[in-house]
């Protein structure tokens, strides 16, 4: 009798995430109140800091660029039923590909260097995800555990590469040689003075292309269809003649390549060189972004802007209200993951019941059941 | 290398293995009950902060320990509500817990103590002191065995002895008690447990409560035994190494101890040596740091033995109607 009826699509993609987001903000607000600050004032500061002026908005877009890539990386894997938790490591090692190409070609022109660096970063990031994919497909080890391990292996590898291989003998700081300006991705402020000193750069165009590309890949290609079949039911996909292991390996590679684009934004667009820890947790933000965005490019775009705004606004927050540090943003992010990802069961059953009650065709049924219950 | 160098490396091994071992055993309970737990790191970090903060305010290490265990337990229960009651994705719950702990500890630490996220350094009584076992100083003069007893076995924090005692306790509970049998069963085949009239939900909650308490001990070890006060991101990924150790030990208590000792030894080695030489090839310290993870990946891939986790791991249990 209590067969679960799915809630309408708009409620699934908009209402439920909105409720969860509001809940995350409410709990964060309570934490802010706990330390004796005014949460409404904090929100005001965040919104102004993220959107109120050119610099701030530019920073919001710069953060969002990273989150679009890592969010797409998580989403692509999720469609095939894989949880790629290693976006951080994949983006980190992709920095090697980006910096090597950029340094080799920085005397030419960014129009030459950038496409090749994109390919190199995608290849290295993709490889770092392909190995866990291969291990799951052929050797049966769980991709979640392997990608976690690969994050740590990447961290150790990069410390070695930066300190022992890429660092010029003349510098003390652990960083690679600086990329010549000619080989860097131009920043938007060079065209639009509106963006002030913010680091948002042309990598954002790649992010937009990636959003469209992933949309086409997942919903308008045979490969994307096979991916979704695998994600929905691996047994069915095998009977349909799809090679699951091949799908897993290719999907993970695409996922890692997308995460690797963070390196283009950071290494070629912002830092102009390879520094340690340049990913700064963007891979994990991608998990929150993909969950919020329901693994759909439009959702991911909106969620990336939201988290970009939170990161930039949070930076602002600690200057205006010294009582609140930017770690508050990590708390909000964690709560979003908790409520939209792990505690979905909190509201979905209630919503399902509510919609059942208020949809005309089910109303009579529900009323009949109510009366039967009260009469008995 | 002389005797005293070897002893000091082994001594460091024991000190560094202890939190790994506690967290690893913690994970053993929840994973054996069929709950994937990648949130060990977060629970430890939360406990480390709570222990450091309360020990600093109260001046009592024991109150600090209690607070650490309580906060870790609360965090574990939150994870339990998401993963058991609400049947949410256990991996995502773990990620959320880790992130929540990382954010909250730094945020509250900075707001409450205003020392860049650190808790105030602990005074007398706020920090556990090392325990000298009986006759340690007297027997120190005995050749070979004397120093081993006096320097290696004696002179650790109480949490170190608790951790190693917990290995025996866990092995006994897991293989010799009714609870242990049921715990193992619920991780392999929850339906069978349910059919036998035992509550799957209750068992999984019991498991995660034990996980919380043990992570509390592990976390407190960082801030009020090994260290004096809490520092930002103090656990520094040790929760993930513990998880790796658990897999490496194939979810068994005694192998877990040896794996944690091995990983602790690697840690002690990389702190001591900035680089090592093996057959005239220089081994960078980063390679030693990455070794636990590489070993785990290689093991998981089935190249050295095979690590197969509890069969029902990661799947929320739904009673059929």
């Amino acid at each position: 009798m209590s067969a679960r009826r799915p809630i309408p699509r708009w409620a699934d993609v908009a209402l439920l995430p909105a409720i969860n987001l509001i809940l995350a903000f409410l709990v964060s607000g309570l934490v802010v109140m706990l330390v004796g600050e005014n949460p409404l004032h904090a929100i005001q500061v965040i919104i102004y800091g993220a959107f109120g002026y050119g610099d701030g908005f530019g920073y919001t877009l710069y953060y969002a660029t990273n989150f679009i890539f890592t969010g797409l990386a998580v989403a692509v894997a999720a469609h095939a039923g894989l949880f790629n938790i290693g976006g951080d490591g994949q983006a980190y090692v992709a920095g090697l590909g980006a910096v090597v190409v950029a340094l080799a070609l920085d005397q030419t022109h960014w129009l030459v260097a950038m496409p090749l660096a994109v390919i190199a970063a995608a290849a290295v990031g993709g490889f770092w995800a392909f190995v866990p994919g291969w291990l799951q497909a052929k050797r049966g080890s769980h991709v979640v555990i392997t990608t976690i391990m690969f994050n740590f292996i990447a961290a150790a590898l990069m410390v070695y590469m930066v300190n022992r291989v890429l660092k010029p003998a003349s510098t003390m700081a652990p960083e690679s040689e600086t990329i010549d300006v000619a080989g860097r991705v131009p920043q938007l402020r060079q065209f639009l003075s509106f963006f002030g000193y913010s680091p948002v750069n042309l990598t954002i165009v790649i992010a937009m292309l990636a959003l469209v590309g992933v949309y086409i890949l997942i919903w308008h290609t045979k490969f994307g269809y096979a991916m979704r079949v695998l994600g929905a039911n691996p047994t069915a996909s095998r009977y349909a003649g799809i090679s699951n292991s091949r799908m897993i390996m290719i999907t993970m590679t695409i996922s890692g390549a997308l995460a690797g684009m963070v390196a283009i934004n950071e290494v070629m667009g912002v830092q102009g060189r390879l520094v340690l820890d340049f990913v700064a947790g963007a891979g994990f933000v991608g998990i929150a972004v993909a969950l919020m965005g329901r693994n759909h490019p439009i959702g991911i775009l909106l969620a990336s802007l939201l988290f970009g705004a939170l990161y930039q606004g949070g930076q602002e927050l600690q200057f205006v209200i010294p009582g609140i540090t930017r770690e508050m943003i990590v708390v909000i992010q964690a709560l979003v993951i908790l409520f939209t990802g792990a505690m979905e069961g909190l509201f979905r059953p209630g919503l399902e019941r509510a919609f059942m009650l208020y949809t005309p065709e089910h109303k009579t049924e529900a009323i009949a059941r109510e009366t039967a219950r009260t009469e008995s | 290398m002389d005797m005293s160098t070897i002893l000091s490396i082994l001594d460091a091994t024991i000190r560094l293995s202890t939190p790994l071992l506690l967290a690893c055993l913690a994970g053993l309970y929840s994973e054996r009950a069929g709950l994937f737990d990648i949130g060990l790191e977060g629970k430890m970090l939360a406990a480390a902060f709570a222990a450091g903060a309360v020990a600093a305010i109260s001046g009592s290490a024991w109150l600090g320990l209690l607070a650490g265990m309580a906060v870790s337990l609360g965090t574990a229960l939150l994870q339990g509500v998401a993963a058991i009651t609400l049947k949410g994705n256990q991996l995502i719950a773990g990620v959320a817990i880790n992130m929540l702990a990382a954010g909250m500890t730094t945020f509250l630490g900075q707001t409450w103590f205003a020392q860049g996220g650190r808790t105030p350094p602990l005074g007398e009584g706020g920090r556990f002191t090392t325990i000298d076992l009986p006759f340690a100083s007297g027997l120190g003069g005995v050749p070979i065995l004397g120093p081993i007893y006096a320097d290696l076995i004696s002179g650790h924090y109480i949490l170190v002895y608790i951790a190693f005692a917990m290995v025996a306790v866990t092995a006994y509970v897991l293989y010799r008690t009714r609870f242990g049998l049921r715990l193992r069963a619920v991780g392999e085949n929850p339906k069978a447990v349910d059919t036998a009239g035992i509550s799957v939900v209750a068992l999984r909650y019991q498991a995660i409560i034990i996980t919380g308490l043990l992570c509390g001990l592990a976390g407190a070890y960082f801030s009020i035994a090994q260290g004096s006060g809490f520092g930002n991101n103090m656990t520094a990924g040790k929760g993930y190494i513990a998880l790796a150790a658990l897999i490496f030990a194939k979810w068994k208590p005694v192998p877990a101890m040896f794996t944690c000792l091995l990983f602790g030894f690697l840690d002690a080695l990389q702190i001591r040596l900035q680089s090592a030489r093996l057959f005239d090839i220089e081994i960078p310290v980063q390679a030693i740091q990455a070794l636990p993870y590489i070993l785990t990946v290689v093991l998981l891939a089935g190249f050295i033995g095979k690590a197969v986790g509890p069969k029902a791991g990661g799947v929320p249990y739904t009673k059929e109607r």
Side-chain angles (χ1 to χ4, degrees):
Chain A
M1 184 194 72
S2 66
R4 296 180 81 177
R5 287 172 201 285
I7 53 178
R9 198 170 148 67
W10 67 268
D12 190 29
V13 301
L15 185 61
L16 203 54
I19 292 176
N20 287 320
L21 187 66
I22 290 169
L23 191 63
F25 273 108
L26 282 178
V27 175
S28 315
L30 283 178
V31 175
V32 170
M33 277 164 76
L34 185 78
V35 301
E37 300 288 347
N38 181 353
L40 289 177
H41 182 211
I43 286 188
Q44 215 180 335
V45 173
I46 289 181
I47 292 175
Y48 177 75
F51 298 108
Y53 59 103
D55 267 301
F57 187 55
Y59 267 100
T60 299
L61 291 180
Y62 146 68
Y63 285 117
T65 309
N66 281 345
F67 302 157
I68 288 172
F69 291 130
T70 54
L72 284 175
V74 175
V76 165
H79 278 290
L82 300 160
F83 186 18
N84 177 11
I85 205 168
D88 241 49
Q90 290 142 20
Y92 201 6
V93 293
L96 283 180
V99 82
V100 167
V101 171
L103 283 174
L105 298 175
D106 69 350
Q107 298 305 321
T108 56
H109 191 268
W110 66 269
L111 273 172
V112 180
M114 188 179 176
L116 291 173
V118 165
I119 293 169
V124 181
F127 172 75
W128 209 248
F130 164 79
V131 178
W134 172 69
L135 288 171
Q136 166 147 342
K138 299 287 186 190
R139 311 289 313 189
S141 45
H142 203 299
V143 80
V144 171
I145 302 292
T146 347
T147 47
I148 292 177
M149 299 300 135
F150 266 59
N151 279 342
F152 288 97
I153 300 172
L157 174 73
M158 291 302 280
V159 171
Y160 177 79
M161 290 304 284
V162 171
N163 278 311
R164 298 293 192 87
V165 182
L166 293 169
K167 186 166 76 101
S170 54
T171 53
M172 286 301 289
E175 54 191 41
S176 76
E177 230 171 289
T178 310
I179 301 165
D180 196 81
V181 180
R184 289 194 206 176
V185 177
Q187 308 206 315
L188 293 192
R189 63 177 191 231
Q190 290 168 240
F191 316 108
L192 296 164
S193 59
F194 167 75
F195 286 115
Y197 290 100
S198 65
V200 60
N201 58 76
L202 279 180
T203 315
I204 199 168
V205 177
I206 301 183
M208 296 300 135
L209 292 175
L211 284 168
V212 177
V214 167
Y215 174 75
I216 295 171
L217 174 78
I218 291 177
W219 283 282
H220 292 282
T221 66
K222 226 161 94 179
F223 181 82
Y225 180 73
M227 254 171 70
R228 286 181 291 135
V229 175
L230 171 66
N233 189 340
T235 320
S237 76
R238 207 172 60 241
Y239 278 111
I242 297 165
S243 162
N244 286 1
S245 57
R246 189 171 149 265
M247 291 299 301
I248 290 172
M249 289 187 285
I250 300 177
T251 306
M252 281 304 286
T253 310
I254 295 173
S255 174
L258 283 165
M261 291 301 102
V262 171
I264 300 294
N265 193 28
E266 291 291 338
V267 174
M268 286 186 82
V270 183
Q271 312 276 1
R273 58 197 194 285
L274 186 68
V275 297
L276 290 179
D277 285 324
F278 69 84
V279 185
F284 289 97
V285 185
I287 298 171
V289 165
L291 284 170
M292 270 252 44
R294 285 284 184 273
N295 295 327
H296 190 285
I298 294 174
I300 288 171
L301 174 66
L302 294 174
S304 298
L305 280 173
L306 173 76
F307 278 103
L310 283 175
Y311 267 73
Q312 161 55 16
Q315 198 77 272
E316 203 94 339
L317 197 59
Q318 64 184 6
F319 291 117
V320 181
I321 312 176
I324 306 176
T325 58
R326 67 177 308 215
E327 273 70 27
M328 194 62 226
I329 303 307
V330 181
V331 174
I332 297 177
Q333 185 182 313
L335 290 169
V336 166
I337 293 182
L338 189 67
F339 290 129
T340 55
M343 287 193 162
E344 240 211 355
L346 205 56
F347 291 111
R348 189 179 282 276
L351 267 185
E352 278 168 359
R353 264 196 303 281
F355 274 102
M356 205 151 92
L357 211 58
Y358 292 105
T359 320
E361 63 257 45
H362 304 310
K363 201 172 180 179
T364 35
E365 187 191 323
I367 290 171
R369 201 169 53 238
E370 266 320 279
T371 28
R373 198 171 59 88
T374 40
E375 278 169 7
S376 64
Chain B
M1 253 187 244
D2 58 350
M3 179 81 179
S4 69
T5 318
I6 294 171
L7 270 183
S8 87
I9 291 181
L10 292 180
D11 190 47
T13 300
I14 290 181
R15 274 185 281 117
L16 294 165
S17 305
T18 298
L20 289 183
L21 182 54
L22 285 166
C24 188
L25 292 173
L28 192 144
Y29 282 94
S30 51
E31 297 235 338
R32 272 297 176 107
L35 296 161
F36 276 158
D37 196 350
I38 57 175
L40 295 172
E41 173 83 3
K43 290 192 281 281
M44 273 205 299
L45 191 60
F49 175 72
V54 170
I57 294 166
S58 69
S60 159
W62 289 102
L63 279 180
L65 179 65
L66 218 58
M69 290 174 77
V71 166
S72 172
L73 178 63
T75 318
L77 286 175
L78 179 66
Q79 201 180 347
V81 168
I84 304 169
T85 308
L86 296 174
K87 302 187 173 77
N89 185 321
Q90 298 169 3
L91 298 165
I92 294 174
V95 171
I97 291 293
N98 289 342
M99 218 177 259
L100 193 62
M104 282 292 255
T105 51
T106 320
F107 172 64
L108 291 179
Q110 174 61 26
T111 315
W112 285 345
F113 301 106
Q115 296 180 10
R118 290 193 62 85
T119 60
L122 300 174
E124 191 89 353
R127 186 178 171 190
F128 281 110
T129 47
T130 52
I131 298 170
D132 284 321
L133 295 182
F135 317 117
S137 54
L139 289 170
V142 178
I144 304 180
L145 287 179
I148 288 179
Y149 181 74
D151 299 338
L152 197 58
I153 299 175
S154 166
H156 288 289
Y157 304 105
I158 186 151
L159 292 172
V160 175
Y161 300 110
I162 293 177
F164 284 89
M166 279 312 295
V167 177
V169 172
T170 303
Y172 178 80
V173 166
L174 204 59
Y175 299 116
R176 293 277 180 273
T177 66
R178 187 192 304 195
F179 171 72
L181 178 68
R182 289 174 175 180
L183 192 76
R184 283 181 290 142
V186 84
E188 296 291 336
N189 191 345
K191 196 184 266 181
V193 175
D194 200 15
T195 314
I198 303 155
S199 165
V200 173
V201 169
L203 260 174
R204 288 192 168 169
Y205 266 108
Q206 283 162 10
I208 205 150
I209 284 171
I210 300 174
T211 304
L213 294 174
L214 286 173
C215 277
L217 289 173
Y221 180 82
F222 282 101
S223 58
I224 60 175
Q226 193 182 40
S228 173
F230 175 84
N232 264 343
N233 193 24
M234 187 163 215
T235 49
K238 290 285 191 296
Y240 294 105
I241 299 203
L243 185 66
L246 181 62
I247 297 164
F248 202 82
K250 300 177 184 174
W251 294 268
K252 293 190 180 85
V254 175
M257 179 182 77
F258 287 116
T259 311
C260 289
L261 282 171
L262 170 68
F263 289 180
F265 174 71
L266 291 173
D267 204 7
L269 211 57
Q270 64 98 357
I271 291 171
R272 188 157 190 108
L273 317 164
Q274 271 313 300
S275 62
R277 298 187 74 82
L278 188 70
F279 306 122
D280 252 15
I281 302 164
E282 192 195 350
I283 300 170
V285 67
Q286 288 83 15
I288 303 175
Q289 283 168 349
L291 200 54
Y293 308 110
I294 295 173
L295 283 175
T296 305
V297 169
V298 170
L299 177 82
L300 266 173
F303 293 118
I304 39 168
K306 189 98 187 113
V308 180
K311 278 192 196 64
V315 190
Y317 182 68
T318 313
K319 229 186 191 74
E320 270 178 40
R321 292 184 240 207

